[in-house]
Amino acid sequence: MKKNNSLIMRRKAWNQVFLALSVAAAAFGILWLALILYELLSKGLGGLNMKVFTEITPAGNDEGGLANAIVGTLEITSLAVVLGTPVGLLAGTYLAEYGRHSWLANLIRFVNDILLSTPSILVGLFIWQIVVYNVPDSPIERTCVAILGPYCFLGHFSGIAGSFALAMIVIPVVVRTTENMLLLVPNGLREAAAALGAPRSNVIVTVTWRAARAGIVTGGLLAIARISGETAPLMFTVLGQNNWATDMTHEVAALPLIIYNFANSPYDSQHALAWAGALLITATVLTLSVVARLMQPKRS
C-alpha cells in the first residue's frame, strides 16, 4: 500500500514538473509575440494616417503613402489565390475521396509535405527561371508574344510572375486542409447519398464539399495569411517599383518589397512607412488567422 502511494506521489510530482515546464514554454513564446506586437504598435501607429492609403510611395525623404503598394499586393495575392485554390481543392479531394490509400496518393502527400516546408526563396527562384528569365527570342516567348502581344508576361518581371510564385505556396496549404476536412465528414453521409443513386461526383460536390465547407474556407484563409507577407518570391519575380502601376504584366509595387526597401533606407520618413506597412500586414495576418480559427469545425 505504501509502495503504491509513493508511486502515485512520484507521478503527481513529475506531472506538476512537466506542467510547469509546459506553461513556462508557452509563456516564453507568448512573451516574444507580445514584444513584437508592442514594437509594431509603438512604431507603426505613428506612421498610420490617411496619406498611407491615398498617396504613392515617396522617393527620397519626401512625404507619401503606401496606396500603390497596397493595391499591388491585393492584385498579386488575389490572383495567386485564384490560381492556387482550385488546384489545391481538387488535389485534396482526390486524396480524400478517390486515391486515399493508393500509391499515387501517397506520392502526392509526400510531394505536398516537401512543398509545405520548402523555403519560399526557392519557389521564387524556380518561377524566376521559368517565367522571368527567358532565352531571347525563344519559341515559348515568340508564342506568348504572338498570342498575347503586349500583354505577354514572359521574359521580364511582372505581377503575374509573382502570383505564380505565391500560388505555389497556396497549393500545398489548401491540399492539406482540404484533405483533412473531407476526412472528417462521416462516411454515413456519402453512403446515404450513394444509396439514393447519386453519382460519386455529385456526392462530393453536393454532400462532402458542403459538409466540409467551413474547413475548406479556413484553408483558403490560412493560405492567404501564409502568403501575405512573403518577400523573397516577389524579389525574384515582381521586382517592384515606386510608381502607380496596376498592369500585372509588368512590375507593380508590393507591400512586402516596400517594407524591405524602406527598412534599409537612410530616411526617417521611409522608416515610418515601413513600420506602418509592417503593422498593416501583421494586422491582416492576425485577423485572417483568428477568423480561420473561429471557422474551424468543432470535433466531437
Side-chain angles (χ1 to χ4, degrees), residues 135-147:
V135 178
D137 202 31
S138 65
I140 297 178
E141 186 175 359
R142 288 200 304 267
T143 303
C144 180
V145 172
I147 296 175

PDB file of all heavy atoms in Angstrom, residues 135-147:
ATOM      1  N   VAL A 135      15.275  32.805 -72.541  1.00  0.00           N
ATOM      2  CA  VAL A 135      16.240  32.959 -73.626  1.00  0.00           C
ATOM      3  C   VAL A 135      15.652  33.897 -74.674  1.00  0.00           C
ATOM      4  O   VAL A 135      14.511  33.705 -75.112  1.00  0.00           O
ATOM      5  CB  VAL A 135      16.572  31.599 -74.264  1.00  0.00           C
ATOM      6  CG1 VAL A 135      17.551  31.771 -75.427  1.00  0.00           C
ATOM      7  CG2 VAL A 135      17.138  30.658 -73.214  1.00  0.00           C
ATOM      8  N   PRO A 136      16.368  34.945 -75.069  1.00  0.00           N
ATOM      9  CA  PRO A 136      15.813  35.895 -76.046  1.00  0.00           C
ATOM     10  C   PRO A 136      15.345  35.191 -77.320  1.00  0.00           C
ATOM     11  O   PRO A 136      16.039  34.329 -77.862  1.00  0.00           O
ATOM     12  CB  PRO A 136      16.997  36.836 -76.312  1.00  0.00           C
ATOM     13  CG  PRO A 136      17.846  36.721 -75.082  1.00  0.00           C
ATOM     14  CD  PRO A 136      17.700  35.309 -74.611  1.00  0.00           C
ATOM     15  N   ASP A 137      14.177  35.569 -77.733  1.00  0.00           N
ATOM     16  CA  ASP A 137      13.602  35.072 -78.978  1.00  0.00           C
ATOM     17  C   ASP A 137      13.424  33.545 -78.975  1.00  0.00           C
ATOM     18  O   ASP A 137      13.561  32.885 -79.993  1.00  0.00           O
ATOM     19  CB  ASP A 137      14.481  35.472 -80.172  1.00  0.00           C
ATOM     20  CG  ASP A 137      13.670  35.451 -81.482  1.00  0.00           C
ATOM     21  OD1 ASP A 137      12.461  35.707 -81.429  1.00  0.00           O
ATOM     22  OD2 ASP A 137      14.268  35.157 -82.529  1.00  0.00           O
ATOM     23  N   SER A 138      13.119  32.993 -77.792  1.00  0.00           N
ATOM     24  CA  SER A 138      12.875  31.557 -77.703  1.00  0.00           C
ATOM     25  C   SER A 138      11.495  31.228 -78.260  1.00  0.00           C
ATOM     26  O   SER A 138      10.628  32.104 -78.372  1.00  0.00           O
ATOM     27  CB  SER A 138      12.959  31.103 -76.245  1.00  0.00           C
ATOM     28  OG  SER A 138      11.911  31.698 -75.489  1.00  0.00           O
ATOM     29  N   PRO A 139      11.237  29.967 -78.632  1.00  0.00           N
ATOM     30  CA  PRO A 139       9.920  29.596 -79.159  1.00  0.00           C
ATOM     31  C   PRO A 139       8.782  29.898 -78.195  1.00  0.00           C
ATOM     32  O   PRO A 139       7.701  30.334 -78.614  1.00  0.00           O
ATOM     33  CB  PRO A 139      10.063  28.092 -79.405  1.00  0.00           C
ATOM     34  CG  PRO A 139      11.527  27.864 -79.582  1.00  0.00           C
ATOM     35  CD  PRO A 139      12.190  28.853 -78.689  1.00  0.00           C
ATOM     36  N   ILE A 140       9.033  29.687 -76.902  1.00  0.00           N
ATOM     37  CA  ILE A 140       7.979  29.944 -75.914  1.00  0.00           C
ATOM     38  C   ILE A 140       7.653  31.432 -75.871  1.00  0.00           C
ATOM     39  O   ILE A 140       6.480  31.835 -75.856  1.00  0.00           O
ATOM     40  CB  ILE A 140       8.417  29.453 -74.522  1.00  0.00           C
ATOM     41  CG1 ILE A 140       8.617  27.929 -74.531  1.00  0.00           C
ATOM     42  CG2 ILE A 140       7.386  29.846 -73.473  1.00  0.00           C
ATOM     43  CD1 ILE A 140       9.096  27.376 -73.216  1.00  0.00           C
ATOM     44  N   GLU A 141       8.699  32.269 -75.870  1.00  0.00           N
ATOM     45  CA  GLU A 141       8.463  33.718 -75.815  1.00  0.00           C
ATOM     46  C   GLU A 141       7.790  34.207 -77.103  1.00  0.00           C
ATOM     47  O   GLU A 141       6.896  35.053 -77.048  1.00  0.00           O
ATOM     48  CB  GLU A 141       9.779  34.453 -75.589  1.00  0.00           C
ATOM     49  CG  GLU A 141       9.597  35.955 -75.379  1.00  0.00           C
ATOM     50  CD  GLU A 141      10.896  36.650 -75.039  1.00  0.00           C
ATOM     51  OE1 GLU A 141      11.932  35.960 -74.949  1.00  0.00           O
ATOM     52  OE2 GLU A 141      10.867  37.877 -74.860  1.00  0.00           O
ATOM     53  N   ARG A 142       8.209  33.683 -78.260  1.00  0.00           N
ATOM     54  CA  ARG A 142       7.579  34.093 -79.514  1.00  0.00           C
ATOM     55  C   ARG A 142       6.107  33.701 -79.544  1.00  0.00           C
ATOM     56  O   ARG A 142       5.259  34.462 -80.028  1.00  0.00           O
ATOM     57  CB  ARG A 142       8.319  33.440 -80.697  1.00  0.00           C
ATOM     58  CG  ARG A 142       9.693  34.019 -80.958  1.00  0.00           C
ATOM     59  CD  ARG A 142      10.160  33.714 -82.387  1.00  0.00           C
ATOM     60  NE  ARG A 142      10.144  32.279 -82.645  1.00  0.00           N
ATOM     61  CZ  ARG A 142      11.184  31.468 -82.479  1.00  0.00           C
ATOM     62  NH1 ARG A 142      12.327  31.951 -82.027  1.00  0.00           N
ATOM     63  NH2 ARG A 142      11.094  30.194 -82.760  1.00  0.00           N
ATOM     64  N   THR A 143       5.788  32.523 -79.009  1.00  0.00           N
ATOM     65  CA  THR A 143       4.387  32.086 -78.965  1.00  0.00           C
ATOM     66  C   THR A 143       3.567  32.983 -78.053  1.00  0.00           C
ATOM     67  O   THR A 143       2.439  33.376 -78.382  1.00  0.00           O
ATOM     68  CB  THR A 143       4.301  30.635 -78.476  1.00  0.00           C
ATOM     69  OG1 THR A 143       5.078  29.796 -79.327  1.00  0.00           O
ATOM     70  CG2 THR A 143       2.860  30.149 -78.469  1.00  0.00           C
ATOM     71  N   CYS A 144       4.144  33.337 -76.902  1.00  0.00           N
ATOM     72  CA  CYS A 144       3.442  34.211 -75.958  1.00  0.00           C
ATOM     73  C   CYS A 144       3.184  35.582 -76.575  1.00  0.00           C
ATOM     74  O   CYS A 144       2.089  36.136 -76.451  1.00  0.00           O
ATOM     75  CB  CYS A 144       4.255  34.347 -74.666  1.00  0.00           C
ATOM     76  SG  CYS A 144       3.519  35.399 -73.404  1.00  0.00           S
ATOM     77  N   VAL A 145       4.187  36.125 -77.257  1.00  0.00           N
ATOM     78  CA  VAL A 145       4.030  37.435 -77.889  1.00  0.00           C
ATOM     79  C   VAL A 145       3.004  37.367 -79.015  1.00  0.00           C
ATOM     80  O   VAL A 145       2.190  38.281 -79.203  1.00  0.00           O
ATOM     81  CB  VAL A 145       5.387  37.940 -78.413  1.00  0.00           C
ATOM     82  CG1 VAL A 145       5.196  39.208 -79.234  1.00  0.00           C
ATOM     83  CG2 VAL A 145       6.338  38.201 -77.256  1.00  0.00           C
ATOM     84  N   ALA A 146       3.007  36.259 -79.774  1.00  0.00           N
ATOM     85  CA  ALA A 146       2.056  36.114 -80.873  1.00  0.00           C
ATOM     86  C   ALA A 146       0.622  36.028 -80.375  1.00  0.00           C
ATOM     87  O   ALA A 146      -0.306  36.524 -81.017  1.00  0.00           O
ATOM     88  CB  ALA A 146       2.401  34.875 -81.697  1.00  0.00           C
ATOM     89  N   ILE A 147       0.428  35.409 -79.206  1.00  0.00           N
ATOM     90  CA  ILE A 147      -0.934  35.230 -78.679  1.00  0.00           C
ATOM     91  C   ILE A 147      -1.390  36.441 -77.881  1.00  0.00           C
ATOM     92  O   ILE A 147      -2.500  36.953 -78.063  1.00  0.00           O
ATOM     93  CB  ILE A 147      -1.000  33.957 -77.818  1.00  0.00           C
ATOM     94  CG1 ILE A 147      -0.730  32.717 -78.673  1.00  0.00           C
ATOM     95  CG2 ILE A 147      -2.370  33.835 -77.149  1.00  0.00           C
ATOM     96  CD1 ILE A 147      -0.660  31.440 -77.877  1.00  0.00           C
TER      97      ILE A 147
END
